[in-house]
Amino acid sequence: MALRNLVALSALLEAALAGPTVYLAGDSTMAKGGDGAGTNTDGREHLYLGGELGLTILIGWGQYLAYSLDIPVVNNAIAGRSARSFWEEGRFQSIANNVVSGDFVVIEFGHNDGGSLTPTDNGRSDCPGEGAQTCTSTYNGATDTVYTFNHYLEEASQLYSAKGAHVIISSQTPDNPWETGTFNGAASRFVQYANDTAATLGASVASYVNHFGYVSARFQSLGATVVDGYYPVDHTHTSTAGANTVSQAFVKGVVCGGSYLSAHVKNATSMIPGSCL
């Protein structure tokens, strides 16, 4: 028993000396295989026919975050997930098992959280509302108590905060706002829900990055031609260039908002495209 405790203490000490790590929890728009097809657990960017060279690579913005930071990034985002399914599959807990004091966890969901629990529950839709509401549903032949989007984010944030980690709740990225030819910056309700959740938790537990707002502002300034090129397959999943721009927008939000993570950003605020909101 004493030896086991010593080994565990040694592992914690090693992690502390190595410095903090950033963990990412999200969906395909953040994930390495950022195409929304399947689970993307093969660890590869996904290729599609099209583009000037005959192939298009889709990738989530989380893959570019490490280039802006002086600490490592572990991308645990996975396609097709909502806050609910990420929780029910134990993925938030898996991150918590590795988190140590001083680490950072970025939580970003919303793209897959909408929809209805009836007539068929897809396992992703949350219970409507943003408080303590619950819904009873049947999923995969079993009765499931479904909570609100805010509830899942709050529970996950408390998991990480209890271990001394810094939580960043980030609002979802926009779908292509130039898709119709006219810019549309309207946000889904989950953008406000993310903001409200961070406010409820308070600064001692979580900070907020308006990722949706920063991406939208950047996309509006870039114009339809450039932004349409960022979405070569559909209106949600980005090319490598699009993912890089979306990542830069997140970093802009981090440094402008004064998050603890801003201390680990390599770039000066003025070097990152866009303006503070």
Side-chain angles (χ1 to χ4, degrees):
M1 180 65 72
L3 179 59
R4 187 181 299 119
N5 290 339
L6 182 61
V7 170
L9 180 61
S10 175
L12 288 173
L13 180 60
E14 182 179 352
L17 291 175
T21 296
V22 180
Y23 293 90
L24 305 182
D27 55 34
S28 59
T29 60
M30 179 192 275
K32 184 171 185 177
D35 66 345
T39 60
N40 291 338
T41 54
D42 57 12
R44 297 175 295 177
E45 293 84 2
H46 288 215
L47 303 177
Y48 290 84
L49 291 176
E52 293 181 6
L53 300 180
L55 289 175
T56 295
I57 300 177
L58 298 183
I59 188 170
W61 68 268
Q63 288 301 104
Y64 284 92
L65 183 57
Y67 296 109
S68 294
L69 304 177
D70 61 10
I71 53 177
V73 175
V74 177
N75 193 350
N76 293 111
I78 189 164
R81 290 343 187 246
S82 65
R84 171 193 171 189
S85 60
F86 210 83
W87 177 268
E88 292 189 344
E89 292 172 3
R91 297 182 187 278
F92 281 122
Q93 183 62 57
S94 293
I95 294 174
N97 293 342
N98 294 312
V99 163
V100 299
S101 182
D103 283 345
F104 297 86
V105 183
V106 180
I107 303 173
E108 182 179 293
F109 289 95
H111 283 284
N112 301 310
D113 289 84
S116 174
L117 297 171
T118 58
T120 303
D121 183 359
N122 62 11
R124 305 188 302 184
S125 299
D126 309 315
C127 186
E130 57 173 323
Q133 300 95 326
T134 62
C135 299
T136 300
S137 181
T138 300
Y139 178 63
N140 278 348
T143 300
D144 190 14
T145 300
V146 183
Y147 299 90
T148 64
F149 177 83
N150 302 49
H151 174 87
Y152 292 117
L153 266 58
E154 288 173 16
E155 290 295 302
S157 298
Q158 296 288 6
L159 267 181
Y160 307 134
S161 180
K163 299 193 72 173
H166 305 289
V167 179
I168 299 174
I169 294 179
S170 177
S171 58
Q172 70 172 85
T173 57
D175 289 337
N176 181 1
W178 286 105
E179 184 177 21
T180 65
T182 301
F183 185 82
N184 180 3
S188 83
R189 66 185 184 276
F190 296 105
V191 173
Q192 187 62 50
Y193 287 176
N195 180 42
D196 293 346
T197 301
T200 298
L201 290 167
S204 62
V205 176
S207 59
Y208 175 66
V209 170
N210 184 7
H211 200 186
F212 183 97
Y214 277 95
V215 174
S216 292
R218 183 65 180 142
F219 280 4
Q220 186 171 19
S221 68
L222 288 171
T225 301
V226 172
V227 175
D228 283 344
Y230 289 164
Y231 294 91
V233 174
D234 58 30
H235 65 195
T236 301
H237 303 100
T238 54
S239 65
T240 54
N244 184 42
T245 300
V246 173
S247 180
Q248 290 174 354
F250 173 80
V251 175
K252 191 72 173 185
V254 166
V255 296
C256 289
S259 163
Y260 287 114
L261 185 58
S262 61
H264 297 284
V265 174
K266 296 177 182 179
N267 317 101
T269 308
S270 59
M271 295 175 59
I272 309 170
S275 302
C276 290
L277 300 181

